[in-house]
Amino acid sequence: MTGTLTIVGLGPGNEAFITPEAQGAIDRATDIVGYIPYVKRIAPRDGLTLHASDNRVEIDRSIHALEMATEGKQVVVVSSGDPGVFAMASAVFEALEDGIRDHPEWAALDIQVVPGITAMLAASAACGAPLGHDFCAINLSDNLKPFALVEHRLRHAARGDFAMGFYNPRSKSRPTQFGQVLDILREELTPDHMIIFARAVSTDEQAINIQRLGDATPDMADMRTVVLVGNSGTHVIEGTVIVNTPRSQMDWVPS
Amino acid sequence: MTGTLTIVGLGPGNEAFITPEAQGAIDRATDIVGYIPYVKRIAPRDGLTLHASDNRVEIDRSIHALEMATEGKQVVVVSSGDPGVFAMASAVFEALEDGIRDHPEWAALDIQVVPGITAMLAASAACGAPLGHDFCAINLSDNLKPFALVEHRLRHAARGDFAMGFYNPRSKSRPTQFGQVLDILREELTPDHMIIFARAVSTDEQAINIQRLGDATPDMADMRTVVLVGNSGTHVIEGTVIVNTPRSQMDWVPS
């Protein structure tokens, strides 16, 4: 049997957010590869081998998946959210690129990416439509880029009056940078600008915290939080807790 | 029975991309409201009334949905892709905001947004992982914003070295603006920068056209096309047709 490698997005946590396309790939798999908490979401069954690995070994995991697919297995790499948004798809393709000269057979592999619901869009849905106009997605971690590039992109996003979604705002190893991020945003935007902290979106533990930028503090975010920032028109609809970014910006003038 | 209003994303076209969460809302609905081609995707059944309406009547459609939910119906507004990304969620919330003083009962309505797979991320999955790093989503239509704001955001996105996803690049009523968009991008970025034209993503008619920015022409896009632009590191992996944006930008220096 010809091997396949499918990189599948499991969505942000709620099993009802997994598409039939993703579930079909999981149901046909002989081997599931992924970070421990995501592999835990897959139901064990006869004929299916689960290969769970620790965080920060994305390239090793990807090589393992490529090798098993080459051996003829039906391999599924699971990712949370969407595999193409700060997740496993780019890692698999980097491993492929690094190894393709030594393993020319990898070029003929059937590799597919199955999109999923990414946390930023689940968070947006959970509080209204704060990303209803042009927006940016920024990974705030400086594991794979200098913090100067995070700052550069934050300033361009703010000056472009984009709404924003932030992944990985804060972790134990990066306790202070999110404070710097808030300071940069406050230099560029007004204190009344909306910021939303969406924790554990789509799960039973979901918590939505809607704030003004002027009142936001770093401790409002942790590793399970996606942070959304509105554009200049984003607001809470009076009489509700719905955050909306109007579709129209016809009154925009260059500053 | 208490009425509900659920704004549901049907994804980009492939029925296997509709989440169980979205399908569940459709299965419980008494009334489906939406643009004609999206309502056509819903299977008729006893007890379900389909209300299909033309394009550009989003606010009328939203008021109708709010009124039916107030009457106690289980109303689902269908959107393609994700309802929070250039789709129906913001329209419903605008209608709610405009009408809430005359209809204070709307404030108590149970309104939910169910996210879906948005075209940009389905397009990204179809060609690899071009949005694997920080990215922007921009609606190129100037129906609801001045073209000057489109240009302003394009320049900030390019100067921030964001990857980009463009919705509504070109239509019969806007045949020339996409040429201006390409000109702006060519002023800001190198001719070797990657641009991908993804038409009818996830359907049987899907067509992926991978180009250098220097070779891109306006006729490569139409209303069914999502356009993706890479960042400075995006490239095709040698020996494959996979487009990848590396996860690492550790070598970035301010220009």
Side-chain angles (χ1 to χ4, degrees):
Chain A
M1 199 167 182
T2 308
T4 59
L5 202 171
T6 312
I7 310 154
V8 159
L10 298 179
N14 183 335
E15 304 309 315
F17 282 25
I18 300 178
T19 68
E21 183 78 4
Q23 191 60 52
I26 292 163
D27 292 345
R28 287 187 300 275
T30 59
D31 295 82
I32 302 274
V33 177
Y35 177 39
I36 299 161
Y38 309 148
V39 172
K40 270 196 187 139
R41 292 176 58 185
I42 306 298
R45 61 173 160 79
D46 286 348
L48 179 67
T49 308
L50 302 176
H51 308 266
S53 47
D54 207 350
N55 211 352
R56 304 216 178 179
V57 294
E58 291 88 354
I59 295 298
D60 294 342
R61 186 190 295 152
S62 299
I63 293 169
H64 186 206
L66 287 158
E67 288 173 346
M68 288 194 293
T70 306
E71 293 163 9
K73 292 179 173 167
Q74 313 302 308
V75 183
V76 166
V77 175
V78 288
S79 226
S80 76
D82 183 296
V85 179
F86 311 122
M88 281 302 297
S90 281
V92 170
F93 295 136
E94 279 172 46
L96 175 74
E97 186 166 38
D98 288 346
I100 204 164
R101 263 175 302 180
D102 292 336
H103 304 275
E105 67 278 15
W106 286 1
L109 278 177
D110 177 5
I111 305 180
Q112 304 288 336
V113 181
V114 176
I117 304 293
T118 187
M120 166 181 68
L121 297 182
S124 176
C127 61
L131 304 180
H133 208 92
D134 304 325
F135 64 91
C136 294
I138 305 178
N139 186 339
L140 295 185
S141 168
D142 65 347
N143 286 338
L144 293 166
K145 65 188 167 202
F147 188 77
L149 180 53
V150 176
E151 174 169 354
H152 180 77
R153 288 195 172 133
L154 286 169
R155 292 195 189 277
H156 278 293
R159 290 171 195 178
D161 195 20
F162 283 96
M164 303 173 215
F166 299 148
Y167 289 77
N168 300 318
R170 195 155 171 260
S171 73
K172 279 178 192 165
S173 60
R174 297 181 292 107
T176 60
Q177 278 175 357
F178 186 59
Q180 292 175 255
V181 167
L182 290 176
D183 288 343
I184 293 162
L185 292 174
R186 282 192 270 252
E187 284 176 29
E188 300 285 347
L189 303 169
T190 68
D192 282 331
H193 220 88
M194 308 261 1
I195 183 166
I196 300 131
F197 298 87
R199 190 168 188 280
V201 280
S202 86
T203 75
D204 293 343
E205 297 163 74
Q206 175 176 297
I208 305 291
N209 178 6
I210 301 166
Q211 296 284 339
R212 293 166 66 253
L213 181 58
D215 298 326
T217 55
D219 59 289
M220 291 175 180
D222 67 10
M223 269 312 275
R224 296 189 69 195
T225 309
V226 171
V227 180
L228 306 178
V229 175
N231 75 12
S232 58
T234 306
H235 61 280
V236 175
I237 295 175
E238 210 177 313
T240 75
V241 290
I242 296 167
V243 183
N244 194 35
T245 298
R247 297 174 306 152
S248 174
Q249 289 203 298
M250 285 308 284
D251 54 353
W252 181 83
V253 283
S255 59
Chain B
M1 198 167 180
T2 309
T4 60
L5 201 172
T6 312
I7 309 155
V8 159
L10 298 179
N14 183 334
E15 304 309 317
F17 282 25
I18 300 178
T19 68
E21 183 78 5
Q23 190 61 52
I26 293 164
D27 293 345
R28 289 187 298 274
T30 59
D31 295 82
I32 303 273
V33 177
Y35 177 39
I36 298 161
Y38 308 147
V39 173
K40 271 195 186 139
R41 292 176 59 186
I42 306 299
R45 61 173 160 79
D46 286 348
L48 179 68
T49 308
L50 302 176
H51 307 267
S53 48
D54 207 351
N55 211 351
R56 304 215 177 183
V57 294
E58 289 88 353
I59 296 298
D60 294 343
R61 186 189 296 151
S62 299
I63 293 168
H64 186 206
L66 287 159
E67 288 172 346
M68 287 193 294
T70 306
E71 292 163 10
K73 292 180 172 166
Q74 313 303 307
V75 182
V76 165
V77 174
V78 287
S79 225
S80 76
D82 184 297
V85 179
F86 310 124
M88 281 302 297
S90 281
V92 170
F93 295 136
E94 279 172 46
L96 174 73
E97 186 166 38
D98 287 346
I100 205 165
R101 262 174 303 180
D102 291 337
H103 304 275
E105 68 278 14
W106 286 1
L109 277 177
D110 177 5
I111 305 180
Q112 303 288 336
V113 181
V114 176
I117 304 292
T118 186
M120 167 181 66
L121 297 182
S124 176
C127 61
L131 304 181
H133 208 92
D134 304 326
F135 65 91
C136 295
I138 304 178
N139 187 339
L140 296 184
S141 167
D142 66 346
N143 285 340
L144 292 166
K145 65 188 167 202
F147 189 77
L149 180 53
V150 176
E151 174 170 353
H152 179 76
R153 289 195 173 135
L154 287 169
R155 293 194 189 278
H156 277 292
R159 291 172 194 177
D161 194 20
F162 283 97
M164 303 174 214
F166 299 148
Y167 289 76
N168 301 317
R170 197 155 168 259
S171 73
K172 279 179 192 163
S173 61
R174 296 181 292 108
T176 61
Q177 277 175 356
F178 186 59
Q180 292 175 254
V181 167
L182 290 176
D183 289 342
I184 293 163
L185 292 175
R186 281 192 272 253
E187 285 176 28
E188 301 285 345
L189 303 169
T190 68
D192 283 331
H193 219 89
M194 308 260 4
I195 183 166
I196 300 130
F197 298 87
R199 189 168 189 280
V201 281
S202 86
T203 75
D204 293 342
E205 297 163 75
Q206 175 175 297
I208 305 292
N209 178 8
I210 300 166
Q211 296 284 339
R212 293 166 65 252
L213 181 58
D215 299 327
T217 54
D219 59 290
M220 291 175 181
D222 66 10
M223 269 313 275
R224 295 189 69 194
T225 308
V226 170
V227 180
L228 305 178
V229 175
N231 75 11
S232 58
T234 307
H235 60 280
V236 175
I237 295 174
E238 210 177 313
T240 75
V241 290
I242 296 167
V243 183
N244 195 35
T245 298
R247 295 174 307 152
S248 174
Q249 289 203 297
M250 284 309 283
D251 53 353
W252 181 83
V253 283
S255 60

